[in-house]
Amino acid sequence: MDVLFTGGRLFGTDASFLLVRGEHIVALGGDEVKDRAAPGAETVDLRGRLLLPGFQDAHVHAVLGGLELGLCDLSGTTDAGEYLRRIRNYADTHPEAGWITGGGWSMESFAGGVPGKALLDGIAGGRPVFLMNRDHHAGWVNSRALELAGITAGTPDPADGRIDRDADGEPVGCLQEGAMALVAGLVPDSTPGDRLAGLLRAQELLHSLGVTAWQDAMLCGANGYPDHSDAYLAAAADGSLLSRVEGALWWNRDRGAEQIETLLGQRDTFSVGNLRSRSVKFMLDGVAENFTAAMTAPYRDRCGHPTGNSGLSFIDPAALAEYVTAVDALGFQAHFHALGDRAVREALDAVAAARKANGMRDTRPHLAHLQVVHPDDVRRFAALGATANIQAYWATHEPQMDELTIPFLEPSLAGWQYPFGDLARAGARLAAGSDWPVTTADPLLGVHTAVNRAHPDSGEPPFLAGQALGILPALTAYTQGSAFVNHRDDSGELRPGHRADLVVLDRDLLAGPAEAIAEARVDLTYVGGSLVYSSRDA
């Protein structure tokens, strides 16, 4: 059936009508488009609302997020007492669970960002506990979990992580980065049915937020991270994966170039139906809050003095350049987790090496997170054809930034955070993602923060206001920009021939004040011309 949209703003066009036939947009324009609609066509009266190409998330962990919604969910609060209430309730209502697992706690809830095992020991009924924090770079464990893992004062820190300890060297119950693997490897894996249910739960949520396609940033996980790739394979094969997904295959930092043959096989295996897996995910560093993001200057201590720690480079930079050059030559996209400015530079150096060796291939490398970018590297994005994949919701004053990050960064680094404006002015292509379940999957909250550099109703001043984006480039990042890095060239814009992946908001964002962007809601979401979400008020 034909579907005709009219009566509102059609994003990026001057058209009055948009006509969908089957899975594609077939026409935009004036009354002549209306005349092309088949008899019996459905007409969607926008009533002054905004029609956009569907949002695309360029960096999300959909299965992980969907699974966590069904586990011990600590998200949505920073109250440590509320965490304990939820954990106790989960333990009481899941007596069959051998482990208490889940996550979503925030570092700001605990002194120094580090929770302790003693808080958990009395509420889990003697069962081991493993709860990841909201950014998934640290795990909170109890004494039983430490005991099962054999972690004691004599256990050395792994090269890619840290066991938090008290003054006597005893583990306190928090494991940073690669140290999580010491316990995570003991946690019973979810079942294939659990993982498929998690993916479908995530897809339903993403559709309700107007997200019609995404790049999952961790297929075939390793280094202590779970492998959820079978859920995508199952959903793609049986048709329940309605959205098109680009899978980023995990680069195991404990291995070298010998894994490229495995990646080639995974690319074939995990490319079926609506799933394609043409990206390789290189996780280069950690996060600033636990001092593992790779910086060009040392972190400061609590007195403001430089320490001997500049963060971790999980992959040797020289080796990284060789790996990226090799996978680029095979047609893979390089997808980097690069948070500190040294990690950003190492990623760009690797892309430069690949460009020099292979030429400017259409492999569309992109760097995600970009918390700190050295000014000398800002112009390199456009020159190298590397996309800046922003997680805009993080660019704001909040306790994790103001209490656990800024005081410990060298002052110039603190002023180079989330430089969206500088990147855009330098000609960099911007894409956008949520990193959900690290933070909200809602693109409208990301757009709001990109434009206002503050969360709605936070009462805080804008965070580095000169780096704000206008609403048009922010929306473009979440649509056309992400479609580009997802290799979905037939989406991201309202154009004839493009797929009818569409979202209708409850208002015209372009006509309202920037401060009210976060008040907008999704009314309708279409994937390939089919309605997959409708609000009660649509």
Side-chain angles (χ1 to χ4, degrees):
M1 176 187 294
D2 287 4
V3 182
L4 187 68
F5 294 86
T6 189
R9 191 193 300 265
L10 309 183
F11 182 75
T13 81
D14 294 323
S16 301
F17 294 90
L18 181 146
L19 179 61
V20 170
R21 180 169 297 146
E23 295 185 1
H24 295 89
I25 300 167
V26 295
L28 289 109
D31 289 342
E32 75 282 359
V33 172
K34 177 175 61 174
D35 297 337
R36 289 182 57 183
E42 176 187 357
T43 297
V44 176
D45 184 358
L46 295 173
R47 306 192 306 273
R49 297 173 293 176
L50 176 64
L51 175 68
L52 289 152
F55 297 122
Q56 296 198 26
D57 195 316
H59 185 106
V60 67
H61 304 280
V63 182
L64 182 61
L67 277 170
E68 288 190 359
L69 290 175
L71 297 175
C72 184
D73 183 10
L74 305 182
S75 63
T77 183
T78 58
D79 184 336
E82 175 64 11
Y83 296 152
L84 299 181
R85 188 195 69 77
R86 294 187 191 182
I87 296 165
R88 184 185 297 276
N89 180 67
Y90 185 88
D92 290 345
T93 56
H94 293 79
E96 78 291 349
W99 283 68
I100 307 301
T101 60
W105 56 272
S106 179
M107 294 177 68
E108 69 193 70
S109 305
F110 304 99
V114 177
K117 60 189 177 184
L119 293 172
L120 300 173
D121 286 345
I123 61 176
R127 288 173 284 176
V129 179
F130 180 75
L131 300 164
M132 299 183 82
N133 73 347
R134 74 180 191 186
D135 62 20
H136 293 74
H137 289 264
W140 183 12
V141 298
N142 67 348
S143 296
R144 179 58 176 155
L146 292 170
E147 178 187 353
L148 290 173
I151 299 173
T152 68
T155 304
D157 288 345
D160 60 350
R162 184 178 72 243
I163 301 167
D164 287 313
R165 306 171 191 268
D166 63 20
D168 297 323
E170 291 291 334
V172 299
C174 193
L175 306 173
Q176 306 288 345
E177 300 295 347
M180 289 188 293
L182 301 174
V183 168
L186 303 176
V187 176
D189 198 6
S190 56
T191 68
D194 292 337
R195 294 189 287 274
L196 178 58
L199 173 57
L200 299 181
R201 191 183 296 127
Q203 179 174 246
E204 183 178 6
L205 172 66
L206 292 169
H207 286 168
S208 75
L209 298 173
V211 177
T212 57
W214 62 87
Q215 183 161 157
D216 194 296
M218 188 173 61
L219 262 64
C220 305
N223 305 120
Y225 292 97
D227 180 7
H228 296 144
S229 52
D230 63 337
Y232 278 110
L233 198 60
D238 69 16
S240 58
L241 183 64
L242 304 180
S243 287
R244 296 188 298 172
V245 174
E246 185 70 32
L249 302 167
W250 186 265
W251 181 270
N252 187 334
R253 57 183 180 252
D254 293 334
R255 301 177 63 197
E258 74 278 2
Q259 69 187 283
I260 292 175
E261 282 298 318
T262 301
L263 292 170
L264 287 168
Q266 290 171 338
R267 180 168 64 182
D268 291 340
T269 298
F270 296 100
S271 292
V272 59
N274 281 332
L275 176 67
R276 296 291 180 272
S277 297
R278 299 164 288 189
S279 186
V280 177
K281 168 71 174 301
F282 295 93
M283 186 169 177
L284 301 190
D285 66 343
V287 294
E289 296 89 346
N290 67 8
F291 317 127
T292 59
M295 303 291 181
T296 57
Y299 289 96
R300 302 298 180 96
D301 62 21
R302 294 187 178 278
C303 298
H305 301 132
T307 68
N309 174 34
S310 297
L312 301 175
S313 290
F314 291 148
I315 303 174
D316 174 77
L320 176 68
E322 295 177 6
Y323 302 152
V324 171
T325 298
V327 300
D328 179 82
L330 294 168
F332 283 106
Q333 173 189 75
H335 177 164
F336 301 96
H337 167 117
L339 202 138
D341 66 326
R342 190 175 84 237
V344 172
R345 180 167 294 171
E346 290 167 0
L348 292 172
D349 287 348
V351 173
R355 298 305 199 196
K356 181 178 180 180
N358 303 329
M360 292 291 287
R361 299 167 60 86
D362 187 26
T363 46
R364 310 188 185 188
H366 58 120
L367 284 67
H369 307 327
L370 304 173
Q371 179 164 350
V372 180
V373 182
H374 194 289
D376 291 348
D377 292 318
V378 167
R379 294 191 176 276
R380 300 180 68 196
F381 283 81
L384 292 169
T387 297
N389 182 345
I390 65 174
Q391 283 63 67
Y393 189 74
W394 302 352
T396 183
H397 283 291
E398 45 90 30
Q400 198 153 301
M401 171 64 72
D402 295 341
E403 298 172 13
L404 299 177
T405 301
I406 291 176
F408 301 99
L409 289 182
E410 195 273 334
S412 63
L413 297 184
W416 297 340
Q417 294 190 83
Y418 303 117
F420 308 152
D422 283 349
L423 287 163
R425 288 185 286 270
R429 184 190 300 269
L430 302 184
S434 65
D435 205 17
W436 181 70
V438 172
T439 46
T440 176
D442 189 346
L444 291 171
L445 291 179
V447 170
H448 179 99
T449 310
V451 172
N452 294 284
R453 302 288 288 200
H455 289 163
D457 303 321
S458 71
E460 297 289 345
F463 177 69
L464 300 174
Q467 300 299 339
L469 293 175
I471 188 169
L472 285 174
L475 288 170
T476 299
Y478 275 92
T479 52
Q480 185 180 356
S482 293
F484 177 82
V485 300
N486 290 339
H487 287 278
R488 302 300 185 182
D489 293 339
D490 61 348
S491 63
E493 298 178 84
L494 301 182
R495 292 178 55 184
H498 275 212
R499 276 175 55 90
D501 291 351
L502 307 169
V503 58
V504 176
L505 302 185
D506 67 351
R507 69 196 69 195
D508 182 357
L509 279 188
L510 304 179
E515 296 80 8
I517 292 171
E519 297 174 8
R521 297 292 181 268
V522 170
D523 271 351
L524 301 168
T525 304
Y526 295 81
V527 171
S530 296
L531 182 67
V532 296
Y533 171 75
S534 177
S535 73
R536 293 180 180 177
D537 300 324

